[in-house]
Amino acid sequence: RSGKREVSWKRFDELGVLLSRAEFEQGVRSGTWEVHTAEGGGSGRLYFQDGLLAAAEQVGENGEVLAQRNYGE
């Protein structure tokens, strides 16, 4: 075992609303990370693969994708 953690990190506002979520596998960024505005008006998603940012999206308050970008291609 390498001693590196596999964790899910979450941040909440004072009312308990999820503001952000991040995943780590063996100490490396992984999976889908989410960031939400405190007002609930929209969010962003970051997609990690092999510890590197692979793609990102800006999402509107109704779930529609407003912008997206792929990295490393």
Side-chain angles (χ1 to χ4, degrees), residues 12-70:
F12 298 89
D13 70 8
E14 63 277 354
L15 299 175
V17 175
L18 180 67
L19 294 177
S20 55
R21 182 181 63 80
E23 302 285 331
F24 292 87
E25 290 183 14
Q26 297 297 312
V28 177
R29 293 176 281 198
S30 68
T32 302
W33 289 27
E34 298 177 32
V35 180
H36 305 276
T37 62
E39 301 82 32
S43 63
R45 294 186 193 120
L46 303 173
Y47 300 96
F48 289 91
Q49 186 173 19
D50 300 323
L52 300 174
L53 182 61
E57 293 178 336
Q58 179 183 2
V59 182
E61 61 184 295
N62 295 319
E64 72 278 16
V65 176
L66 302 174
Q68 62 187 146
R69 181 170 180 185
N70 293 318

Side-chain angles (χ1 to χ4, degrees), residues 1-6 26:
R1 185 169 173 131
S2 68
K4 295 184 180 177
R5 294 182 173 204
E6 295 187 19
Q26 297 297 312

